[in-house]
Amino acid sequence: MTTSLRYATRMASIKASDIRELLKLTEQPEMISFAGGLPAPELFPLQRIEKIAARVIREQGMQALQYSTTEGYTPLREKIARRMNGKFGVSMTAANILITGGSQQGLDLTGKLFLDEGDVVLCESPTYLGAIQAFTTYRPKFVEVQTDEFGMDPDHLRKLLQTVAKIKLIYVVPDFQNPTGRCWSLERREQLVRLADEFGVAVIEDHPYGDLRFEGDPVPTVLSLDREGRVIHLGTFSKTFCPGYRIGWVAGEQEVITKYVLLKQATDLQSSTVVQRELDLYLNEYDLDKDIEGIVDVYRKRRDVMIDTLREEMPEEVRFSKPAGGLFAWVELPERLNARDLLERSLKQMVAFVPGGSCFPNGGHENTMRLNFSNMDEVRIREGVRRLGQVIREALAVGVGR
């Protein structure tokens, strides 16, 4: 049946996520998926969560099943603030924290707070596809900043800040970036903050992977370098605990958080009271940092297997780097290959990945791909990369191009 419903103009610019569509395919048990940024489900602390969930209902049931404040459960916000203070050297309190439905809701609320139609978002090239989707609803213009292994090119960033009108946001993922896995240097982070201060632009620091470091020393967050209250920090438990809880947070100056709260009130009133209390009780009873150490050990091994197998199976023309943390490896193919075409061939071999062109808001770069290594075990990683290497070699042999 067809209808004559008249939708908002913004719907014309909203498209389905390549990743979410791919996840439908990866539900097939025989599929080897390097597509979504999924944690390893076998690492979820199921028995502990079962006990915690029962205790929350038994001991706090009437409060847990009731409406709560939009800001979030105060004891959980206090714990997040203390955790950030200890890890980042900042001075947060519960008043600086808003609980959100994952950091993805934080992105959506950010777009709603800052972006009018035609405003400009500066972002890394490439950048996180979910941020592109969240901001696109508000019809901005994306301007990509040249990026290398150390982060945004500060000279190019300065040039854009000097010459591009209506810049509202600089959106960055400095730690083990999605999709490239890169980690910004301290110098680049300091330069970002100086430029943002000089030109009066807000910085959105998306920080889902910072705890998943495999080697090297942590680099100070952009938030910790902020002196003018210009940096807004998005965090989440999805990558270090479990994504099904959908608990993230926005951290920033209290004045800014108050505005986020107003927007969240109109969006969903509040995040789940039950889940917040469960997570808070879990943090009381167990050592999350010790849990994360175990997760990091597993992901480090899987990263190593993926990189080693890429070295063995990929043609010489294929380039990739070894990320020092996070969930992803970034692959650059010869320019004559199109990763979207390769995906069709790869899916027939029961291997899924994300074409990298999706991560460039202004298009192009179709010869790139993002590979996730956290969700598959070592045996499946080896086999999946082997199959993918065969697909790429065959495409090069027959000259599959654009």
Side-chain angles (χ1 to χ4, degrees):
M1 182 177 66
T2 59
T3 68
S4 58
L5 298 178
R6 292 177 292 174
Y7 298 108
T9 305
R10 73 176 67 91
M11 290 304 299
S13 60
I14 297 175
K15 299 178 177 60
S17 162
D18 285 358
I19 297 174
R20 306 315 298 181
E21 294 302 308
L22 274 173
L23 288 178
K24 296 176 184 177
L25 296 172
T26 61
E27 291 176 353
Q28 304 174 53
E30 64 271 27
M31 182 70 72
I32 299 175
S33 177
F34 303 140
L38 279 69
E42 66 272 23
L43 300 181
F44 297 156
L46 299 181
Q47 293 181 334
R48 290 179 176 181
I49 289 175
E50 183 179 13
K51 293 177 182 178
I52 290 294
R55 277 188 59 187
V56 166
I57 296 302
R58 185 172 63 249
E59 300 171 8
Q60 310 173 32
M62 287 188 290
Q63 298 83 10
L65 296 173
Q66 185 58 277
Y67 284 115
S68 185
T69 61
T70 301
E71 290 86 343
Y73 186 48
T74 299
L76 177 59
R77 291 161 58 219
E78 290 172 344
K79 287 182 177 63
I80 291 171
R82 287 198 299 270
R83 183 177 173 82
M84 291 180 66
N85 294 345
K87 285 181 172 289
F88 306 157
V90 293
S91 299
M92 294 282 156
T93 69
N96 301 111
I97 306 294
L98 166 68
I99 300 297
T100 57
S103 58
Q104 190 67 26
Q105 186 182 49
L107 289 169
D108 178 64
L109 295 176
T110 297
K112 192 175 292 186
L113 178 60
F114 285 99
L115 298 176
D116 295 312
E117 182 172 354
D119 284 341
V120 170
V121 176
L122 298 184
C123 62
E124 295 158 282
S125 182
T127 192
Y128 170 48
L129 174 58
I132 298 172
Q133 282 191 296
F135 295 152
T136 292
T137 303
Y138 306 101
R139 310 190 77 185
K141 176 183 177 183
F142 293 94
V143 176
E144 299 173 37
V145 183
Q146 294 171 8
T147 308
D148 59 25
E149 62 183 303
F150 302 109
M152 279 184 173
D153 179 339
D155 293 332
H156 189 225
L157 178 58
R158 172 176 286 279
K159 181 179 179 181
L160 293 173
L161 288 166
Q162 290 173 331
T163 59
V164 176
K166 300 182 70 176
I167 296 173
K168 282 285 188 71
L169 299 175
I170 306 173
Y171 170 73
V172 296
V173 189
D175 288 280
F176 316 121
Q177 195 234 20
N178 183 351
T180 63
R182 295 168 180 158
C183 188
W184 286 38
S185 68
L186 174 58
E187 181 182 4
R188 293 289 179 87
R189 298 171 194 232
E190 291 172 337
Q191 290 170 318
L192 168 66
V193 170
R194 286 198 295 268
L195 287 168
D197 289 343
E198 180 179 345
F199 290 91
V201 179
V203 175
I204 309 302
E205 180 183 31
D206 204 352
H207 192 258
Y209 315 106
D211 282 335
L212 302 178
R213 173 174 285 278
F214 307 149
E215 56 247 351
D217 296 324
V219 185
T221 59
V222 176
L223 179 69
S224 69
L225 303 172
D226 182 25
R227 296 294 177 266
E228 295 191 7
R230 198 171 300 285
V231 177
I232 297 163
H233 182 96
L234 306 182
T236 181
F237 288 104
S238 291
K239 309 304 183 187
T240 55
F241 187 57
C242 51
Y245 266 45
R246 305 309 305 134
I247 294 295
W249 64 92
V250 179
E253 292 296 307
Q254 188 172 350
E255 175 187 345
V256 179
I257 295 301
T258 299
K259 296 183 185 301
Y260 273 94
V261 170
L262 294 175
L263 294 172
K264 183 173 169 65
Q265 284 175 351
T267 300
D268 64 0
L269 300 183
Q270 61 163 99
S271 296
S272 166
T273 311
V274 175
V275 167
Q276 290 183 73
R277 285 174 177 261
E278 287 180 9
L279 182 51
D280 179 71
L281 184 55
Y282 188 96
L283 295 175
N284 275 341
E285 298 295 316
Y286 302 107
D287 186 344
L288 180 62
D289 285 323
K290 186 140 186 85
D291 293 349
I292 293 172
E293 288 177 10
I295 293 170
V296 166
D297 286 343
V298 172
Y299 291 175
R300 183 190 296 111
K301 292 174 185 174
R302 295 182 178 183
R303 184 271 321 256
D304 290 345
V305 169
M306 174 167 279
I307 297 302
D308 289 345
T309 313
L310 285 168
R311 287 172 180 151
E312 295 167 2
E313 299 291 341
M314 289 295 157
E316 290 184 3
E317 304 99 307
V318 175
R319 293 180 295 167
F320 51 88
S321 58
K322 184 178 181 179
L327 304 182
F328 305 108
W330 182 247
V331 178
E332 296 183 9
L333 306 167
E335 289 193 5
R336 64 184 183 277
L337 295 187
N338 187 317
R340 294 181 194 271
D341 294 336
L342 292 177
L343 178 60
E344 294 182 18
R345 295 165 174 247
S346 181
L347 289 173
K348 293 177 182 177
Q349 302 302 317
M350 302 306 292
V351 178
F353 62 85
V354 172
S358 305
C359 303
F360 294 87
N362 297 315
H365 306 274
E366 297 293 352
N367 63 317
T368 57
M369 60 175 66
R370 191 195 76 178
L371 304 180
N372 167 260
F373 50 75
S374 60
N375 187 241
M376 295 286 103
D377 63 34
E378 287 89 338
V379 172
R380 302 193 84 192
I381 289 173
R382 288 192 189 94
E383 178 60 20
V385 173
R386 186 195 66 76
R387 295 182 195 178
L388 186 56
Q390 183 63 32
V391 167
I392 293 171
R393 284 194 299 272
E394 290 174 356
L396 287 170
V398 299
V400 174
R402 298 179 180 278

